[in-house]
Amino acid sequence: MSADRSHPSAGGLWLCNAGAEEARPVPSPLPRVQREGLTGQTEWRSGSFFRHRFSLGPLDNSSGRMTWRPQYRSSKFRHVFGKAATKEGCFDSVPITCCVQDNNFCAVNPRFLAVITECAGGGSFLVLSVHHTGKVDPHQPRVSGHKGKVLDVKWNPFNDYCIASCSEDTTVKVWEIPPHGVFKNITTPWKELQGHSRRVGLVEWHPTANNILFSTAYDYQIMVWNLDCPEQVIKNPVRTISHHPDVVLSMSFNTDGTLLATSCKDRKVRLMDARSGTVLQEGNCKAHRAHKALILGNMKMLVTSGTSRWNDRQIALWDMDDLSVPLLQENMDGSSGVLFPFYDPDTHMLYLVGKGDCNIRYYEISSEKPYLHYLTEYRSHLPQKGMGVMPKRGLDVSSCEVFRFYKLVTTKNLIEPLSMIVPRRSEAYQEDIYPMTASNRPALTAEEWLSGIVKGPVLMSLKPGSQVEEPVTDLSKAYGNSLGSPRTPSHPGMLQLSYNIQDQLKTKERNQDSALSAGDGGHLSISNGEDLAFCSSPKTENELRLKFHKQQEEIRRLVELLNQRDVRIKQLELEIKNTKNTQPPSSL
């Protein structure tokens, strides 16, 4: 073989196999070629997402030919797949909003699902229990206190019964949800925030400080609100950020809440101090127009989704210490829907959800080049309008679920839960895919955060039996300290009914104690955990629905307890089997 075919030349790239008679040419030119002497890495793309890598090894001393050696990146999340819920596990007949705002229109926590709905006059949203799936009653009570369309809703990360909403009526309202759900229309909010002069498009809760809320509107301002005050109507925010010359399209915090990243309609990405509002970094790339910005946890990187100069959908990865030039730009496709990025800091997985698309792409992020590693995508036949994301503490760890979406399908008035699952054979708890994650306990109070104290989030383990117990144990704690505030409750009937039930339970316990202490052989009739003396038939529809939901919650809790016991039994059986296998055979 001639010497000019032993390595890459100007006329093209030649690959030689030690067992081949002739050198095999690779068609040239390739879209991207990187070479480092005789050893390098060649990369080409098929479509937009598939990547294949191979390395050109050193020359074989015996034959003078280069070897072809494939390289594969090992990852425990390579085979993550999406599993959609069955029809019985979906929420059907939901009147999802027809608003064209580029928001998610849905918010989820381990107890409730909130979705913005279409209504005639004013704005409203539904609050449904995540466990009560199926067809939704068309007359289901709603939260309907806004005078304009609701544009965004967000649950308080530290209180599963508190939700914030913003609307075209220029206000932000914070609502209290009864522990057993919404049984009548709620029209009076716990707090009403008045400060914006135009419609409010986004709200975000601070990730570590309790009762700190950020809002942005079409008046180009970001306002910071402290909800720990006795007034029901708050007109003066604690801080106003006015660095944006146009509409703010997205807001994102880092893990400890010290940094705030925003994307604006002026194509610039800004990184600022969340407490003072000082701009620390400002990025503007002519080849990338950012629509959504998302901070990738503690990796000191920022991802933006938007469009390229040719109007192709594109994502860009930025170094938070230098926003002058992006680290990476990746073109997606030519669709027009906005890309919503979702990031899981525990698995370092990035999910890209396109508005109007039928697929979800997911990647793995690393701190070293090439930073972005494409895994695969989930495909379906139903286009999504928005997405809700379940917090980590609400996932099913027994099935190795690492992420859960709630997909809004307007064409069928459907909300479809979608679980992202790591395939594992063992049914034991997988500690390698469930590290310590953020809990529902705040690290700071509002006053501590405003005074300058910085703390990371309070962490918890997802292992069954070691979870951080919920700080909300009764109604007074479920509403923070709001029950003592001078205001008119938005649901006096439900509060009074809950108080009556609590009084009955206390009376039942006292009667049981007195009967046991008497020792006269008296018989206590118990049915479903309640004394028959207090199990009177419900007289109203709300009482009947309340008792039904209590029974469903008890059944679900018992099923979860049985599943945990079964998993523990299998773990013990496996340990016994391993112990027997490791013991040396007894001498005869």
Side-chain angles (χ1 to χ4, degrees):
M1 184 176 62
S2 60
D4 58 352
R5 290 191 177 185
S6 60
H7 58 82
S9 61
L13 182 63
W14 291 78
L15 293 182
C16 302
N17 194 347
E21 295 292 336
E22 292 286 337
R24 178 169 55 88
V26 176
S28 179
L30 294 175
R32 182 181 298 177
V33 176
Q34 299 175 355
R35 292 180 294 176
E36 300 176 0
L38 296 179
T39 304
Q41 191 177 55
T42 305
E43 173 184 321
W44 71 85
R45 300 180 186 177
S46 174
S48 301
F49 315 107
F50 178 74
R51 292 182 178 180
H52 180 74
R53 300 173 181 271
F54 63 89
S55 65
L56 300 177
L59 289 173
D60 190 351
N61 294 331
S62 59
S63 61
R65 300 169 180 172
M66 288 184 298
T67 60
W68 184 82
R69 183 173 63 250
Q71 288 182 348
Y72 300 99
R73 180 178 177 274
S74 62
S75 172
K76 65 184 71 174
F77 306 108
R78 179 183 297 276
H79 303 291
V80 170
F81 66 95
K83 182 179 179 182
T86 60
K87 186 177 180 180
E88 293 77 13
C90 298
F91 299 86
D92 198 4
S93 302
V94 181
I96 303 172
T97 179
C98 298
C99 179
V100 296
Q101 185 86 4
D102 291 330
N103 287 340
N104 292 319
F105 305 116
C106 180
V108 190
N109 66 24
R111 292 181 177 272
F112 299 110
L113 179 146
V115 57
I116 302 175
T117 59
E118 192 70 17
C119 64
S124 65
F125 59 94
L126 281 175
V127 176
L128 307 171
S129 173
V130 295
H131 305 294
H132 301 149
T133 57
K135 189 172 182 179
V136 177
D137 186 357
H139 302 290
Q140 176 76 20
R142 307 183 186 187
V143 181
S144 55
H146 283 287
K147 297 179 181 179
K149 289 185 177 181
V150 178
L151 301 180
D152 194 19
V153 289
K154 293 288 171 58
W155 288 104
N156 188 335
F158 311 117
N159 187 351
D160 290 342
Y161 307 99
C162 179
I163 187 172
S165 64
C166 60
S167 170
E168 291 183 347
D169 61 6
T170 73
T171 64
V172 178
K173 298 186 179 183
V174 184
W175 309 86
E176 294 169 345
I177 305 302
H180 298 288
V182 179
F183 298 104
K184 59 183 295 186
N185 289 336
I186 300 177
T187 57
T188 305
W190 170 46
K191 299 287 184 181
E192 182 174 346
L193 314 179
Q194 301 176 358
H196 291 286
S197 59
R198 299 184 65 184
R199 58 177 176 173
V200 187
L202 289 172
V203 289
E204 286 288 345
W205 294 92
H206 193 274
T208 59
N210 192 27
N211 286 336
I212 293 292
L213 184 65
F214 284 64
S215 65
T216 180
Y218 279 69
D219 56 6
Y220 312 154
Q221 293 182 343
I222 297 177
M223 294 187 178
V224 186
W225 306 89
N226 178 15
L227 304 184
D228 284 344
C229 58
E231 295 84 7
Q232 181 186 2
V233 179
I234 305 174
K235 297 184 178 181
N236 298 317
V238 295
R239 190 157 290 107
T240 301
I241 303 174
S242 304
H243 298 301
H244 300 84
D246 211 325
V247 178
V248 178
L249 301 177
S250 66
M251 296 187 293
S252 174
F253 291 95
N254 64 339
T255 303
D256 58 8
T258 56
L259 299 177
L260 174 66
T262 63
S263 61
C264 183
K265 205 171 181 179
D266 64 351
R267 305 186 182 185
K268 292 184 179 181
V269 179
R270 293 173 176 84
L271 187 66
M272 59 187 67
D273 185 272
R275 187 181 290 105
S276 63
T278 306
V279 177
L280 306 177
Q281 293 280 339
E282 187 174 291
N284 184 15
C285 182
K286 295 182 180 179
H288 178 74
R289 179 191 301 174
H291 290 164
K292 300 294 180 181
L294 181 66
I295 296 179
L296 302 181
N298 285 327
M299 298 192 68
K300 292 190 175 181
M301 286 194 290
L302 176 73
V303 66
T304 58
S305 64
T307 56
S308 66
R309 64 177 66 186
W310 297 283
N311 282 335
D312 290 335
R313 290 199 297 189
Q314 186 184 68
I315 60 172
L317 202 61
W318 308 75
D319 184 0
M320 292 176 60
D321 296 329
D322 183 14
L323 296 182
S324 58
V325 179
L327 297 174
L328 174 71
Q329 290 181 348
E330 184 85 8
N331 288 336
M332 298 288 106
D333 51 38
S335 300
S336 59
V338 175
L339 282 174
F340 293 90
F342 297 94
Y343 180 67
D344 183 2
D346 298 337
T347 61
H348 302 294
M349 289 181 63
L350 175 68
Y351 302 86
L352 293 179
V353 180
K355 186 176 181 180
D357 292 356
C358 300
N359 62 338
I360 298 175
R361 307 177 182 93
Y362 38 102
Y363 302 77
E364 192 171 1
I365 306 294
S366 64
S367 57
E368 299 177 352
K369 290 184 179 180
Y371 305 115
L372 192 67
H373 306 276
Y374 175 73
L375 296 176
T376 184
E377 67 177 2
Y378 167 80
R379 293 187 178 184
S380 69
H381 300 288
L382 301 176
Q384 60 247 2
K385 181 183 178 66
M387 282 285 185
V389 176
M390 173 67 74
K392 276 307 208 47
R393 54 191 175 90
L395 300 181
D396 182 13
V397 297
S398 61
S399 61
C400 298
E401 183 184 28
V402 294
F403 215 75
R404 188 191 302 169
F405 291 102
Y406 283 80
K407 179 178 176 179
L408 304 187
V409 184
T410 54
T411 56
K412 292 191 174 183
N413 291 332
L414 187 72
I415 301 179
E416 180 185 52
L418 174 62
S419 300
M420 312 306 294
I421 298 175
V422 179
R424 294 285 176 93
R425 293 184 179 180
S426 175
E427 296 183 359
Y429 177 73
Q430 307 293 320
E431 294 185 0
D432 60 326
I433 62 176
Y434 294 116
M436 298 290 287
T437 188
S439 69
N440 59 340
R441 290 186 178 179
L444 298 167
T445 63
E447 294 181 359
E448 291 175 343
W449 183 78
L450 292 173
S451 64
I453 301 177
V454 177
K455 287 185 180 180
V458 179
L459 301 180
M460 64 177 288
S461 173
L462 297 180
K463 187 174 183 179
S466 62
Q467 298 179 359
V468 176
E469 293 296 331
E470 252 187 287
V472 179
T473 55
D474 56 21
L475 284 177
S476 60
K477 294 182 181 179
Y479 295 118
N481 293 323
S482 59
L483 290 178
S485 59
R487 63 182 184 86
T488 304
S490 58
H491 34 267
M494 287 304 303
L495 288 179
Q496 186 62 39
L497 178 60
S498 301
Y499 292 143
N500 292 340
I501 293 176
Q502 286 186 350
D503 295 338
Q504 290 180 1
L505 292 176
K506 292 179 181 179
T507 307
K508 177 192 68 174
E509 292 177 357
R510 288 196 299 266
N511 292 342
Q512 289 179 353
D513 293 339
S514 60
L516 291 176
S517 60
D520 56 355
H523 178 68
L524 290 176
S525 300
I526 304 296
S527 175
N528 288 334
E530 296 187 4
D531 194 344
L532 289 179
F534 298 98
C535 289
S536 58
S537 59
K539 299 179 180 179
T540 63
E541 182 181 357
N542 285 340
E543 292 182 4
L544 177 62
R545 188 177 300 175
L546 180 63
K547 289 183 178 294
F548 171 75
H549 288 330
K550 286 180 63 178
Q551 187 181 36
Q552 293 294 322
E553 285 289 333
E554 182 68 16
I555 293 174
R556 185 183 63 82
R557 189 184 65 82
L558 293 176
V559 170
E560 290 179 355
L561 184 61
L562 289 175
N563 291 336
Q564 293 177 6
R565 298 268 178 96
D566 292 340
V567 171
R568 182 57 181 164
I569 290 172
K570 292 183 179 180
Q571 289 177 352
L572 293 176
E573 291 177 351
L574 185 60
E575 291 177 2
I576 294 173
K577 185 177 180 180
N578 293 337
T579 304
K580 291 181 179 179
N581 293 335
T582 55
Q583 288 180 352
S586 58
S587 59
L588 297 176

